[in-house]
Amino acid sequence: MLKKLRTPLFLALLIPALLALTDFLTPIDHVFWNVRHKLNQHQANGSTVIVELESDSDHPDSDTVAAPRLARVLEQLRPQMPYRVYVDAPVKYGTDAAGDRLLAETIRSFGSGVSLVVRGQTVGSLGHTFTLRDFRMPPKALSDVAPIVVSVWNGNFIDYAVSSPYSVNIAGRDYPTFAASLAGKYSGLQDTFEPDFLVEPDTIPKVGERMLLSGSYTPGLLTGRTIVVTQSQNVPTIGYYGKGRIHPLAVDIAGASGLAKPISLSLGQLPLLIISWLLIRAGSRADSRKSKFTLHALAVFAPFVFAPALQLIGVTVDTGAALLSLMIYGVARAWQLRVRRVQHTSTSGLPNLLALSAQPLEVGRDVIVAVIGRYEEILATLPRDLHGECARQIARRLSVGSGIETIFNGEGGHFAWTEEARPLEMQLNHLEGLRALFSAPLQIGTYTFDTNIHFGLDRNEGLDAQTRVNSALASANDALSSGRSVELFEAERLAEASWELSLHARIDEGLRNGEIWLAYQSQWDMRLGHACGAEALIRWNHPTRGPIAPDAFILQAERAGRIDALTYWVVDEAITAALALNAAGQRFQMSINLSAQMVDKPSLVSNFAEIVRRRNIDARLLTIEITETSSVRNRPAAVQNLSQLRAMGFRLSIDDFGTGEASLAYLADLPSDELKLDRRFVSRLLTHDRERSIISATIGLAHALGQTVVAEGIEDDATYRALVELGCDVGQGYYLGRPQAFPEFCQGLLKMGQRRFGFV
Ligand code: C2E
Ligand code: CA
Ligand code: CA
């Protein structure tokens, strides 16, 4: 239930409905109505005409009008036979006895046709009862001859008129409000009505005092009309939707217009909220995208259509709650979709490992990650649109086998789930059982694949989900690379894992502070018997871990995504060394190792081209050694990259020839320049005939293809001589020189050179 209440749909109903009980939605309504009225206001109906008194030139600051002046205006009005007259200006009374008498007389002569308007300040929350202090009441002599109407508006948080009562009570007496009186609707009810802000105040007919006195206005304009004699000097303004702050008379006239409508009903926030929400709900449950879109569009338009339409017939509905509901639903849905996108694997649509890490892990559960062997290869064989199906099928198999509903799917053939921890023995048996399920081939579309599966198991209860998923993942990868079915993640390995995780930063630091450096191992021309090149080999002297073997940290750098940075650093360093060695006059070849992870990268060729240009080196001096061909993901891209590098002048060398399964295939695919015989063959050359034959045949094959042969791992003189006899071109090994830092390497070269000259 609680979960349901947190869905976007329910939030979109609950929050606005609760806020509708308070004033918090008023600002939204305010903006809505302001825009609405700005866009579309209509002309005043002309039944009320304003006669505007000019400002008193003798007393420009005065907000009152002298009695005789008002009497003169009224005298001018009477022959026009207005329907009735409101005097909306405080009268300056009591200083000119004759003038006062004249005014009272003139008003009386109108019969009951003249009313006096008394204005009060806008009030926040409407009360109907006031004291005399709240108003400036006219003198008794005038109120005896003319009824009093009161203009007082209920204002909102920024003093915009919102509603008015029909009548107010001042010091125990009831007075009609001005707007109610204008509309001729006097209701004793403790009720309120709302102004019709659709009236454009500028279209209310207006006659200036001077025009009135000189008679220069449209004849008949005043006849039969309601006249309001007003003055605009020093009158506090009031907010009018669509117009901003203006003279309050406009609101009174709009109030009368509101009352003139057949119905005057204010329904509040709920009707529109319910309509919009029902449309949102219908939309969210619709099956087709089209009806979903239509219903949601209707939900958006509902407030903008219903509110103005109902307003025309005098029914006010507030829009704040509906608009807020739309906003909440929109934002919450967008958030939900975002989270879903981030937490799902796009190809399979299954939740990904991030989603698993984000879940709270209950006590007593194991985290298991399964990794599928040769997954990349399977995907490379399958057409793209079957990739998702492949992942789903594997997930289904795991789900059925383990009785777990949700299987999470990471990139690269990883599948994860949590299940109740059983005794270790049972758990391992269970995983073996699952493994057996994968002895049956996968059937995806018309494709059939044999595969195997490896598991990583994390039982470190109490650690956070993220760590445990990472641990299980690392174990699964270890199981995959070691060929074991299950690898258990032990707590001690956490330190190792965190080391792996922080490798990114450590490699950068190592490059900066010289912990990472290059060793150079010489390569010898076996026919001429002198050094002709070197292989650059990376070294890491870690301050706390000591020397780390390149085999170990190259793999980790590949995993941590730092292999590119590392390789380009090696290339740059090796070029510096090559330039120094070649400056001595003799041609000296420099070999570097290229990780299999990089050979198919799109940026490879351009990066090498950039380095060659920047360092201004002849690319032919550099030999790129490639190995581990079986783990290259995109073979065609790799072949293309390497061909382009070769076209640029780089020499290509196939490292560890004879160990990888695909060496021969590689020879066929790749236009290479050199083969490096693996040291496993070389070390057995003297003792095993089989290896001797392999080496001999390989040298023949290589020469037939126009390749140079380099023998690695030459550790003694006898092996060296045997290789010379077999026709090997170049040798490398401890016998000829160990990998050394550049200064020692140079010294060693000199010494070996002397020795050579000594016995040749
Ligand atoms: P590799 O390319 O086959 O390099 C030759 C390895 O054999 C080096 O090990 C070298 O020290 C060793 N070696 C040389 N002569 C002899 C010998 O006479 N006897 C024996 N037993 N070993 C010999 P190292 O330096 O430990 O490198 C191991 C592997 O690390 C290299 O194998 C290479 O695959 C990789 N590696 C080294 N530097 C880099 C690099 O800069 N980038 C990449 N991607 N991989 C590198
Ligand atoms: Ca190598
Ligand atoms: Ca090698």
Side-chain angles (χ1 to χ4, degrees), residues 118 128-135 137 148-150 152 168-175:
V118 171
H128 296 264
T129 313
F130 298 89
T131 67
L132 281 173
R133 246 174 309 153
D134 298 322
F135 295 92
M137 298 304 270
I148 290 174
V149 295
V150 177
V152 60
V168 293
N169 187 294
I170 303 174
R173 266 194 67 182
D174 277 338
Y175 297 92

Side-chain angles (χ1 to χ4, degrees), residues 678-693 695 712-713 719:
D678 193 66
R679 61 169 182 273
R680 266 183 286 170
F681 298 104
V682 175
S683 61
R684 294 167 158 217
L685 170 62
L686 299 178
T687 46
H688 294 70
D689 283 346
R690 204 180 144 80
E691 268 72 10
R692 190 188 168 85
S693 316
I695 291 175
E712 293 190 307
T719 309

Side-chain angles (χ1 to χ4, degrees), residues 172-457:
R173 266 194 67 182
D174 277 338
Y175 297 92
T177 50
F178 185 16
S181 169
L182 273 174
K185 293 210 175 166
Y186 174 79
S187 144
L189 296 172
Q190 296 274 300
D191 205 2
T192 61
F193 58 89
E194 287 157 14
D196 173 13
F197 290 112
L198 289 178
V199 178
E200 161 62 86
D202 294 342
T203 61
I204 301 168
K206 207 175 270 179
V207 177
E209 181 179 7
R210 217 168 297 154
M211 282 156 69
L212 178 78
L213 296 183
S214 62
S216 51
Y217 53 89
T218 322
L221 178 68
L222 305 174
T223 311
R225 304 290 154 88
T226 298
I227 312 291
V228 182
V229 179
T230 188
Q231 62 92 37
S232 46
Q233 205 67 18
N234 299 323
V235 180
T237 54
I238 188 168
Y240 190 103
Y241 282 110
K243 288 306 273 189
R245 302 197 66 81
I246 56 172
H247 191 286
L249 173 57
V251 181
D252 295 313
I253 292 171
S257 172
L259 274 175
K261 296 201 167 163
I263 357 175
S264 170
L265 206 58
S266 184
L267 298 178
Q269 302 278 5
L270 292 184
L272 264 188
L273 171 62
I274 290 168
I275 292 175
S276 279
W277 185 77
L278 286 175
L279 286 167
I280 295 174
R281 195 176 78 139
S284 76
R285 295 186 174 181
D287 293 331
S288 79
R289 272 181 103 87
K290 207 165 140 198
S291 42
K292 221 179 205 24
F293 178 80
T294 314
L295 285 162
H296 281 160
L298 283 177
V300 172
F301 284 119
F304 298 94
V305 174
F306 280 113
L310 290 172
Q311 188 193 21
L312 293 177
I313 56 162
V315 179
T316 315
V317 285
D318 292 327
T319 55
L323 293 176
L324 183 68
S325 171
L326 285 163
M327 278 189 266
I328 291 175
Y329 183 76
V331 170
R333 271 301 282 171
W335 177 253
Q336 222 181 30
L337 289 177
R338 206 191 86 92
V339 168
R340 178 161 306 170
R341 214 176 31 241
V342 171
Q343 298 198 340
H344 279 72
T345 299
S346 52
T347 42
S348 65
L350 294 168
N352 61 18
L353 301 191
L354 213 64
L356 177 59
S357 303
Q359 279 190 344
L361 269 187
E362 291 154 36
V363 203
R365 290 190 83 78
D366 282 354
V367 177
I368 300 168
V369 171
V371 60
I372 303 295
R374 299 175 49 232
Y375 193 70
E376 304 283 352
E377 240 175 274
I378 295 178
L379 291 193
T381 317
L382 277 177
R384 209 151 231 301
D385 53 329
L386 285 179
H387 288 190
E389 177 50 30
C390 175
R392 285 192 295 273
Q393 201 178 110
I394 294 168
R396 263 199 304 279
R397 222 179 255 202
L398 289 169
S399 171
V400 170
S402 61
I404 296 289
E405 203 179 315
T406 318
I407 304 284
F408 299 80
N409 173 211
E411 311 287 344
H414 293 94
F415 296 83
W417 67 96
T418 71
E419 61 184 37
E420 204 175 317
R422 324 164 206 226
L424 186 58
E425 204 58 34
M426 269 174 76
Q427 186 64 286
L428 294 178
N429 284 340
H430 163 61
L431 292 179
E432 278 302 337
L434 271 185
R435 189 174 159 88
L437 271 185
F438 281 81
S439 55
L442 288 172
Q443 178 79 45
I444 297 136
T446 54
Y447 299 80
T448 309
F449 299 99
D450 280 323
T451 182
N452 50 39
I453 189 164
H454 306 262
F455 301 97
L457 175 61

Side-chain angles (χ1 to χ4, degrees), residues 503-504 507-508 511 516 538 553-573 592-608 610-611 614 633 641:
L503 200 74
H504 192 298
I507 286 178
D508 289 348
L511 290 176
I516 295 178
I538 199 156
F553 76 86
I554 294 280
L555 190 74
Q556 293 177 346
E558 286 174 350
R559 281 196 205 154
R562 281 323 269 164
I563 189 65
D564 287 40
L566 208 54
T567 303
Y568 294 124
W569 176 84
V570 169
V571 175
D572 241 329
E573 282 286 294
I592 54 121
N593 293 281
L594 185 66
S595 154
Q597 271 231 335
M598 286 178 65
V599 283
D600 57 355
K601 288 212 175 159
S603 57
L604 183 77
V605 172
S606 58
N607 283 336
F608 269 88
E610 193 271 329
I611 295 178
R614 178 161 51 78
R633 266 172 286 199
N641 270 348

